[in-house]
Amino acid sequence: MSKTSPGNFFEDFRIGQVIRHATPRTVTTGDVALYTALFGARFAVQSSDAFAKAIGYPRAPIDDLLVFHIVFGKTVPDVSLNAVANLGYANCCFCLPVYPGDTLSAQSEVIGLKENSSRKTGIVYVRTTGYNQDLKPVLEYVRWVMVRKRDEAAPAPGDHVPRLPTALDAKVLGEACPAIKVSNYDPAFAGNSYKFGDYAVGEKIDHVDGVTVEEAEHMMATRLYQNTAKIHFDLFAAKQGRFGRRLIYGGHVISLARALSFNGLANAFHVAAINGGRHVAPLFAGGTVYAWSEVLAKSELPGRSDVGALRLRTVATCDRTCTDLPYKTGDEYAPAVLLDLDYWVLMPR
Amino acid sequence: MSKTSPGNFFEDFRIGQVIRHATPRTVTTGDVALYTALFGARFAVQSSDAFAKAIGYPRAPIDDLLVFHIVFGKTVPDVSLNAVANLGYANCCFCLPVYPGDTLSAQSEVIGLKENSSRKTGIVYVRTTGYNQDLKPVLEYVRWVMVRKRDEAAPAPGDHVPRLPTALDAKVLGEACPAIKVSNYDPAFAGNSYKFGDYAVGEKIDHVDGVTVEEAEHMMATRLYQNTAKIHFDLFAAKQGRFGRRLIYGGHVISLARALSFNGLANAFHVAAINGGRHVAPLFAGGTVYAWSEVLAKSELPGRSDVGALRLRTVATCDRTCTDLPYKTGDEYAPAVLLDLDYWVLMPR
Amino acid sequence: MSKTSPGNFFEDFRIGQVIRHATPRTVTTGDVALYTALFGARFAVQSSDAFAKAIGYPRAPIDDLLVFHIVFGKTVPDVSLNAVANLGYANCCFCLPVYPGDTLSAQSEVIGLKENSSRKTGIVYVRTTGYNQDLKPVLEYVRWVMVRKRDEAAPAPGDHVPRLPTALDAKVLGEACPAIKVSNYDPAFAGNSYKFGDYAVGEKIDHVDGVTVEEAEHMMATRLYQNTAKIHFDLFAAKQGRFGRRLIYGGHVISLARALSFNGLANAFHVAAINGGRHVAPLFAGGTVYAWSEVLAKSELPGRSDVGALRLRTVATCDRTCTDLPYKTGDEYAPAVLLDLDYWVLMPR
């Protein structure tokens, strides 16, 4: 019998099944440096121990999206090695800050299964939790992927589509954010002086800058997360495939868009939750990514006067600047759109 | 009103204006590893805690040029986002060693302004200081850039050209270098046995080796410094520009030349000051960089018998070896020359 | 006299000569992050402090091959700068674990010299030892390289070919592996449940996955090890050479193959020794590497019931999947084969 893992096929999953994923991973300042080199993030809290300490953190926390990518990466060999498409995620909540030296591990529960009418594939819904070394959850999210069947004749292993919220309620936000000493929050160091109260629902911000992606960059990023999805790494196989080239991990676009959003959202120092995300089109090396954001909602946090939450939609595009805020007409996305991300950020009040 | 920063235009500056720059940045061993991977520096003091401790440092200090690039990067969004050209720097002095864990921040004072005769641009002179977390200066330098005006009709915001020294006086050198126990300085580990006394004014050294630069490398380096200058990152915009491609950050060439200079200057373990530098021509990905150096002067340091200072000119070229020491004829640089750098290094005596 | 090192030529070596190499190098979690980003290794012991501690390490050790590459890199300026070909290595034994913060240095003894019949080149055999900051050996290996003569007329500096073992004896294995608490070794976190007893001599495993290499990646890796071999870095010179392009450091292929071997050998957490290795063909950027392994032998370790040793042959190929386990016919390697590596790994029993 082969000792090589072929990954799970649709008929291998069961509702309620719990999968503990390999490989646990200690996150370090080495990862932080690489993440900075790959995305150029400039949020002061994650960049500076001194800034973070002044406002109430014990030290600079790990970037929220780096935590997300590492946890996500662990699920790939078990959940999506035989995936046809990564369909979406929802209900992603950061519940504890992560610091250099913490060890992340991941576990997923299968919460939904739905065979497609072709009987060749099915949709698998998993709720994944990332843990630290004390086995405390640091992150939770649901994602759903379309997975191939090994044997088309196999019976569907279940038939249940979970109900998922459109957006997280503001009262669960902020668990991964300690009490912030707003008086110590230095706007010159943070990059601008616009705080929670300065943003209005409906406001739209073009983040102006663009960044081109190289093959070496997205592969280094994706390996840093120990994500093993073949399509990102194997040009020889990709040449025979649908696109003829390597596909960039969708999370790469999310991190690029977040880094670009600093220009206009410098004080949105913490991603508290991701309500939902859609990878509208694939990105390939050589493409230049731009982004713009809209404030979808604002919310105070129960019992907290230090920070407030903005619900943002950030749209990323490829080889098209965002001065005219390209999005969609009806259900049809504008041609250059790569990403449609709906998430909550926290800002000092 | 837009929350996106458009950067400052020439008429936005004032003589005496002080700008505190975002984003403070904790430097770590992660940055050191990336810097090694990008430039391949081999100076023993910065590479080895054991070597550094033996000669009198508490641990291996951060490479001087990495400190320079990080401080420089912070100034870009405020000083040179609308720059047409980075004209030069002078009077750069390292005044305190930086160690992993230190947090760097930067502040600039406008010390000169001179409108160009076209009235479309002007030259801005700033003195930038880099600080550590104790607010002690670690680095100071002057640079001048040609910056666009937002409105050609706007009056010149000032008219003053500062007087800058051609070279720093040797008596200000060495502040960032602790007392060195020369008897513990191991020449085999350091890479060669030529010390201060072995170099003669006028001596010229071809550093022999060459290194080719890739797009992913210079972009990762420049993002590591949180430098946001569009021209290094945005291929889509660059295609419409003067060069049709991304321009490599001039500091990248300085770091490459310094790393190459190890072959012949292995004991020049500390850059104490940069007298001046000129980026003679732009470098693009795919080019191979070579370098050679000339000893311009030698100086003892007042009150110190451990180390002496060499004033060097290092010239870097593109796609041309330096066996014949290409430089300039009259005021005309040889075609392949990229960089003309004048600086002081310290060596054990 | 030139202060630039031209490297040693064949006639510069003497039997018994001892060379202490520059530059000592402190290994950090920054190096670990880069190594992960470059190769995507997923072995739990090296990835997670928590996992490593649970089974008996003080913290996650540095990947064995990263230690090898760093020690190897130091020898290049003295041993192989004028090499025509890196012919092989043997008798490589890891004798102490290395942890972040340790400082590595290297020393080589010339143990063999054999002039070639052309009298233009000769073969140099060196035994290299890597040390930590306490001057304890962490690694030892023999390699032999074909080195040019400076002067063809020079007499051969020696004539002795050392006898080298085909494989290390199992009783010297395991020195770099502390006593493992097997009951704490978590197979779900480690990636699969096949342990020492589950592998049979003669068993062959296709590692399935492939990974494409970019110029920026192999250059960053090779500089990370401070390896200065010109052929990896200098496109301008390489264009006039035999291949017309940069050659990828052979050790890069070893690390890629080792990372790929996780799929099927997840519990082979430690490379205890390398019996021998042959770089069958050069790899260039753009190539996609695949690998397969055969279990050549199995051995218990004297006095240890925690771990056992598998002797593996891992074969790496370029642009050819390994489903049909390509190797060689007689002495002739299959066209796509890059690497033929014979080594011992340890696995929990």
Side-chain angles (χ1 to χ4, degrees), chain B residues 191-207:
Chain B
N192 82 31
S193 54
Y194 298 106
K195 297 198 172 176
F196 179 68
D198 299 313
Y199 289 83
V201 173
E203 185 171 352
K204 295 174 181 179
I205 302 165
D206 171 17
H207 300 306

Side-chain angles (χ1 to χ4, degrees), chain B residues 35 39-46 57 62-66 69 94 185 207 211 250-274 289-293 310 312 314-316 339 341 343-347:
Chain B
Y35 194 80
F39 301 106
R42 289 184 288 145
F43 296 97
V45 171
Q46 286 76 21
Y57 286 87
I62 299 290
D63 190 285
D64 306 297
L65 294 176
L66 176 53
H69 297 320
F94 292 87
Y185 191 99
H207 300 306
V211 60
H252 203 80
V253 179
I254 298 179
S255 283
L256 289 170
R258 165 77 175 152
L260 291 170
S261 78
F262 180 86
N263 198 350
L265 289 162
N267 292 318
F269 68 87
H270 170 49
V271 174
I274 300 174
V289 175
Y290 298 87
W292 68 275
S293 297
L310 297 187
L312 300 173
T314 293
V315 175
L339 171 74
L341 190 71
Y343 59 114
W344 285 105
V345 294
L346 300 194
M347 270 201 184

Side-chain angles (χ1 to χ4, degrees), chain C residues 111-126:
Chain C
I111 60 167
L113 290 169
K114 181 76 190 171
E115 196 176 50
N116 287 315
S117 55
S118 71
R119 300 210 55 194
K120 292 183 181 174
T121 57
I123 299 174
V124 179
Y125 296 78
V126 291

